[in-house]
Amino acid sequence: MAHNFSDEQLRIAEINAYGKFYPHKSKLLVVKIIRKIFINYYLIKVNIINLARKIFFKLQLIKKTELIGCKLTVNFNELAKKQMEEKQCTFIEKFFNNDFYILLLKNFPTKNIFFKQKKIVQNSYSALIYQTNLNNDDKIIFFPYYVKLYEFLKGYEFENAVNNFFGNKEKLKLYSIGTHYSEENSYLIPHQDGIIKLNKNTYNFIYFLDGEDDDIEHSGGTEIHEDNNLQKLILKPSTLKNSCLIYNSSADFFHGYKVLKKNCFRKALTFQFLPEAMIPPR
């Protein structure tokens, strides 16, 4: 959950979602009523989009893709490990082996399984949500390469690689995975994760599958900044193709991306590792 965002960025989120005539602040009753109308209208649009996609997905005769044998490996290099120790964030290019990356890209899920987020501060589309203590999205069975990827991320080999990479005293385990799609007008407000309050080393991975490399800044290239207005840059992606931004969610910095421009897009996955003691039971 997004925390500690600025009033300036919230206004950007409001205009992006509700339009430039949305009244930002006022204690007048009439203004409060107008705000409620704007908000409800937006939520109705989101619900219609999500319902339509759900119906279209059920009407489509989606065939399972045949899984071609392909080994999956990950690139945790020493340079990234050193940067993680020094800055609590890092960026890795060529994160997965190229053969498997091409298959992930070629078999990216159809748009109709993605649901639009209702929160204007996290304005994008998500699907195939996995969380250790919840029932998970069974539509993933239609996308065997993503089944293979999720199983890899949940497996011992990757867990061991993650723990060796971070070198934590507490053992880390996978908590969640999600597949995401961003398009024109998508937006992620610069924020800190709610987990920062717990003061525990928890780690987020933002894996960029594809995007517009000619305009990373407006194609969902998540940046790490010292401040919540994206003015003091710490780290930004150099490519949105087969790369991964990793950061400590408890570190005192902010992450987000600007409103996507026309013809810009982002395909990405996120996964989160927590200390084993923090993982809730099923």
Side-chain angles (χ1 to χ4, degrees), residues 163-178:
N163 278 279
N164 288 336
F165 180 71
F166 293 118
N168 263 29
K169 292 181 181 179
E170 294 182 277
K171 183 179 180 182
L172 298 167
K173 293 190 73 69
L174 180 76
Y175 173 62
S176 65
I177 314 172

Side-chain angles (χ1 to χ4, degrees), residues 137-183:
D137 193 336
D138 58 5
K139 291 192 288 294
I140 196 170
I141 63 171
F142 293 100
F143 309 98
Y145 288 101
Y146 286 79
V147 172
K148 184 179 177 76
L149 175 60
Y150 277 45
E151 290 303 315
F152 175 79
L153 296 176
K154 291 188 281 184
Y156 172 77
E157 180 183 348
F158 188 68
E159 179 185 291
N160 191 48
V162 166
N163 278 279
N164 288 336
F165 180 71
F166 293 118
N168 263 29
K169 292 181 181 179
E170 294 182 277
K171 183 179 180 182
L172 298 167
K173 293 190 73 69
L174 180 76
Y175 173 62
S176 65
I177 314 172
T179 300
H180 310 279
Y181 181 77
S182 301
E183 59 186 11

Side-chain angles (χ1 to χ4, degrees), residues 238-257:
S238 54
T239 177
L240 298 180
K241 302 179 189 299
N242 193 22
S243 60
C244 194
L245 182 73
I246 308 169
Y247 65 91
N248 186 338
S249 299
S250 297
D252 189 22
F253 47 56
F254 298 81
H255 62 281
Y257 59 77

Side-chain angles (χ1 to χ4, degrees), residues 13-260:
E14 289 172 344
I15 292 172
N16 183 53
Y18 305 138
K20 62 182 179 180
F21 296 113
Y22 177 79
H24 183 49
K25 279 187 175 181
S26 176
K27 294 183 179 180
L28 293 175
L29 179 59
V30 65
V31 177
K32 289 181 179 180
I33 293 172
I34 291 171
R35 278 206 299 267
K36 194 71 175 176
I37 292 171
F38 273 90
I39 292 169
N40 286 341
Y41 176 65
Y42 176 77
L43 292 176
I44 288 170
K45 288 197 300 182
V46 171
N47 288 333
I48 290 172
I49 290 170
N50 289 340
L51 178 60
R53 289 192 169 193
K54 187 175 182 180
I55 292 170
F56 288 150
F57 178 78
K58 288 186 175 181
L59 292 175
Q60 286 177 311
L61 297 175
I62 296 180
K63 296 180 180 179
K64 281 188 183 180
T65 306
E66 289 190 17
L67 188 65
I68 301 171
C70 182
K71 186 173 176 60
L72 175 53
T73 59
V74 64
N75 174 28
F76 281 127
N77 57 69
E78 288 302 314
L79 181 61
K81 184 174 183 178
K82 183 179 179 181
Q83 189 175 38
M84 193 74 211
E85 291 171 353
E86 293 173 351
K87 296 186 176 182
Q88 294 300 296
C89 60
T90 191
F91 180 76
I92 302 176
E93 296 186 7
K94 299 179 181 178
F95 190 67
F96 293 129
N97 56 301
N98 194 59
D99 289 347
F100 194 78
Y101 161 67
I102 291 171
L103 291 170
L104 283 178
L105 187 60
K106 183 179 178 181
N107 293 280
F108 190 73
T110 173
K111 268 191 176 185
N112 288 330
I113 72 160
F114 287 88
F115 63 89
K116 186 172 177 60
Q117 302 279 358
K118 293 183 179 181
K119 294 179 180 178
I120 65 170
V121 296
Q122 294 173 304
N123 191 342
S124 61
Y125 298 84
S126 299
L128 308 183
I129 303 299
Y130 165 82
Q131 198 165 304
T132 53
N133 60 326
L134 297 176
N135 292 325
N136 300 297
D137 193 336
D138 58 5
K139 291 192 288 294
I140 196 170
I141 63 171
F142 293 100
F143 309 98
Y145 288 101
Y146 286 79
V147 172
K148 184 179 177 76
L149 175 60
Y150 277 45
E151 290 303 315
F152 175 79
L153 296 176
K154 291 188 281 184
Y156 172 77
E157 180 183 348
F158 188 68
E159 179 185 291
N160 191 48
V162 166
N163 278 279
N164 288 336
F165 180 71
F166 293 118
N168 263 29
K169 292 181 181 179
E170 294 182 277
K171 183 179 180 182
L172 298 167
K173 293 190 73 69
L174 180 76
Y175 173 62
S176 65
I177 314 172
T179 300
H180 310 279
Y181 181 77
S182 301
E183 59 186 11
E184 182 181 355
N185 294 326
S186 292
Y187 173 68
L188 178 63
I189 197 167
H191 68 283
Q192 293 177 322
D193 296 326
I195 207 162
I196 193 172
K197 298 177 181 178
L198 301 178
N199 196 28
K200 288 279 190 179
N201 287 328
T202 62
Y203 300 95
N204 272 6
F205 295 71
I206 303 174
Y207 173 67
F208 301 107
L209 183 67
D210 197 14
E212 184 52 69
D213 269 1
D214 289 336
D215 193 356
I216 291 173
E217 184 179 13
H218 297 100
S219 191
T222 306
E223 298 178 353
I224 305 291
H225 283 257
E226 292 181 24
D227 66 306
N228 58 7
N229 272 315
L230 300 183
Q231 298 297 313
K232 299 178 181 178
L233 181 67
I234 296 174
L235 185 66
K236 67 178 181 180
S238 54
T239 177
L240 298 180
K241 302 179 189 299
N242 193 22
S243 60
C244 194
L245 182 73
I246 308 169
Y247 65 91
N248 186 338
S249 299
S250 297
D252 189 22
F253 47 56
F254 298 81
H255 62 281
Y257 59 77
K258 296 179 180 178
V259 177
L260 268 69

